[in-house]
Amino acid sequence: MDDVTRAAAGIKATEQRLARVGPVIGRATSGDGEVVVEVTPGGGLRDVRIGPAALRMNTDALAREILALARRAERVAGGQLHHAVSGVLDRAAQEELVALGIERAEDEGDDEAGPLLRRPL
């Protein structure tokens, strides 16, 4: 198999694998469930949901919580993307994802966030 045929097969396999996985979205949720952030690989915000209790927080603390959740969700999305393409991309291509800022994450899943929303206001 020549390089072009191998590359085409790799692209086809990646498309099929991503189609099975569905959209690659990272989600992180605050400890009390009041703030949920979803991002795409690379950190593009997709959704931010803020519950009533979180709206009573100090605005600076809420902003820090949202940013922390977005970073956590980005790691989750990056991990999902790396997992989805791991069988079809060679090591160099996977390293290019890292160079682009899409980090490999060790199975973080939907993570609960820091203590900010666990403390009484």
Side-chain angles (χ1 to χ4, degrees), residues 32-103:
D32 65 354
E34 285 291 309
V35 181
V36 179
V37 177
E38 292 181 354
V39 302
T40 59
L45 277 176
R46 185 169 185 268
D47 190 25
V48 177
R49 283 173 261 148
I50 302 171
L55 289 174
R56 291 188 292 275
M57 289 178 68
N58 169 286
T59 55
D60 290 336
L62 179 57
R64 284 191 305 274
E65 185 76 359
I66 291 169
L67 289 173
L69 289 170
R71 285 189 294 272
R72 186 168 288 126
E74 181 180 3
R75 288 191 306 272
V76 171
Q80 289 174 356
L81 180 62
H82 277 277
H83 178 74
V85 300
S86 64
V88 292
L89 292 183
D90 64 15
R91 181 56 115 187
Q94 291 178 38
E95 292 303 321
E96 283 298 316
L97 290 176
V98 174
L100 291 170
I102 301 172
E103 296 290 330

Side-chain angles (χ1 to χ4, degrees), residues 102-121:
I102 301 172
E103 296 290 330
R104 255 184 232 103
E106 299 302 320
D107 195 26
E108 288 195 37
D110 183 21
D111 210 340
E112 288 190 3
L116 285 176
L117 292 178
R118 291 191 194 126
R119 285 188 240 143
L121 302 176

